[in-house]
Amino acid sequence: MDAFTCVRCDAVLTAPVSRVPYPAYARHTYGNGRSLPVLMESGTYAVDPEPFGPPWRQWSEIDPAEAEARGVFAPVHALSFGMPGSIVMAPGDAHGTVLIPERTEGFCCGLDGRDGPNLACARCGQEVATRVDDCSLWQATWLEPSAVRRVATGPDRSITTWQTLAEERHSTPPVEENGSWSPRWEVEVSIALAHLVAASGGSHVTVPDGPLAESFRRSIEDVLPPGPNAKHAALAGPGLPAPDPAPDILVVPRHPQTGEPWPTPPGVGAVPLAADVWMHLAFHREHPLLPATGRLPAGVARDEPLSPWPWRPLYVVTQAFFHTLARLPAVRQPWLRAIHDGGSAQFR
Ligand SMILES: [Zn+2]
Ligand SMILES: [Zn+2]
């Protein structure tokens, strides 16, 4: 476990927190005017591997070799040449910070950090963090890497085994009470779709009927139209029997603490998917709604709510899809680069 302290006065600025993988979509927007949940689970933090903040350079001003060296393999609008290593955590895990009143700007109904850090160390006044809670943004507190110091406060949490994860089956439901898709689901599926498209080699990919098809088939058909030599993808991971026949592409869980995908045999395309989303696809079984006749038996009070049902198909979150695609080395192949450069017009 770690905590972060102020570099100027050593005040403790966070609760004890454990490091987890960085969510690639942490800085993306989602929806229009929609209030998003807190990004990070309480008691965890993640570190943005990429620089963020000014100076920004447009793609035309960047040497492609320089972009490749930092893991960007296709043109993007702009890249930051600021400081890497921003630390993101749940706002509730910040301690001993105060808002800077003249920095509390946002676009709509909250703070977005547009003027720089909006939280100061309560003890010495140093700018230390940015609280973000405007609509369409993930609620989070971002610590300035140059303003804080990481200190170990105790042993790290042990790494949960795949077997335990499969037994616990901790999953996130895909649809919220009001029938809208969970933003995390839509984003995580969009990121996995980028990996799946890269693993396809440009062929169409078929998926078995059921949960995998409900989340992926429509988007696969948009970007990889049906044709000859289709590849087959299926779920694989802890607690599932090995798929038979062996598919060309395996959709596997990504470990929630290490970020490592479930190991796959060599030569098989692996598509990592957030473990809590994967668990739902692998193990949740909706009972089909069947037409019934007659009356309910005495003593049966059917007052439990039905599972929420989505009011629209799952859409690709194009910002997450193209962000991921641009960071996969495979995007240097012309067929995949064409999909990247085709932009969001490819999706219904
Ligand atoms: Zn708003
Ligand atoms: Zn301080």
Side-chain angles (χ1 to χ4, degrees), residues 133-210:
D133 57 13
D134 207 347
C135 55
S136 298
L137 297 172
W138 297 92
Q139 295 188 44
T141 291
W142 296 83
L143 296 170
E144 288 293 305
S146 59
V148 299
R149 183 181 295 121
R150 183 176 63 85
V151 291
T153 60
D156 286 333
R157 281 191 310 181
S158 57
I159 302 296
T160 310
T161 63
W162 283 114
Q163 187 186 343
T164 303
L165 287 172
E167 283 163 10
E168 290 175 350
R169 296 189 180 180
H170 169 69
S171 70
T172 296
V175 182
E176 301 189 331
E177 287 297 320
N178 64 3
S180 56
W181 285 92
S182 146
R184 269 207 65 239
W185 254 76
E186 235 170 11
V187 167
E188 294 287 4
V189 168
S190 302
I191 289 172
L193 180 72
H195 287 270
L196 185 143
V197 169
S200 74
S203 303
H204 180 59
V205 177
T206 60
V207 289
D209 288 340

Side-chain angles (χ1 to χ4, degrees), residues 22-26 28 50 70-76 186-199 216 254 270-273 316-332 336 339-340 347:
Y22 179 75
Y25 52 88
H28 294 177
E50 295 195 29
R70 53 189 276 183
V72 179
F73 303 98
V76 294
E186 235 170 11
V187 167
E188 294 287 4
V189 168
S190 302
I191 289 172
L193 180 72
H195 287 270
L196 185 143
V197 169
F216 283 88
R254 197 176 62 227
V271 173
L273 178 63
V316 173
V317 181
T318 51
Q319 195 181 8
F321 176 80
F322 290 110
H323 175 100
T324 306
L325 213 52
R327 286 157 179 80
L328 297 177
V331 78
R332 290 175 292 194
L336 190 54
I339 289 173
H340 174 273
F347 295 106

Side-chain angles (χ1 to χ4, degrees), residues 6-11 13 121-126 128:
C6 174
V7 290
R8 193 194 278 175
C9 76
D10 282 333
L13 298 173
C121 170
R123 188 191 282 172
C124 76
Q126 187 198 198
V128 289

Side-chain angles (χ1 to χ4, degrees), residues 25-37 39 107-112 132-140 183 187 317 319:
Y25 52 88
R27 298 193 189 268
H28 294 177
T29 57
Y30 178 94
N32 182 10
R34 177 179 171 147
S35 168
L36 293 193
L39 174 73
F107 180 74
C108 183
C109 34
L111 312 176
D112 66 3
V132 173
D133 57 13
D134 207 347
C135 55
S136 298
L137 297 172
W138 297 92
Q139 295 188 44
V187 167
V317 181
Q319 195 181 8

Side-chain angles (χ1 to χ4, degrees), residues 259-287:
E260 287 296 314
W262 165 263
T264 46
V268 178
V271 173
L273 178 63
D276 56 327
V277 174
W278 185 93
M279 291 288 167
H280 188 96
L281 291 181
F283 299 120
H284 185 79
R285 290 292 168 264
E286 207 64 69
H287 296 294

Side-chain angles (χ1 to χ4, degrees), residues 57-60 62 72 74-79 322-323 326-327 340:
R57 280 199 232 154
Q58 304 284 311
W59 183 255
S60 59
I62 301 170
V72 179
V76 294
H77 175 64
L79 286 177
F322 290 110
H323 175 100
R327 286 157 179 80
H340 174 273

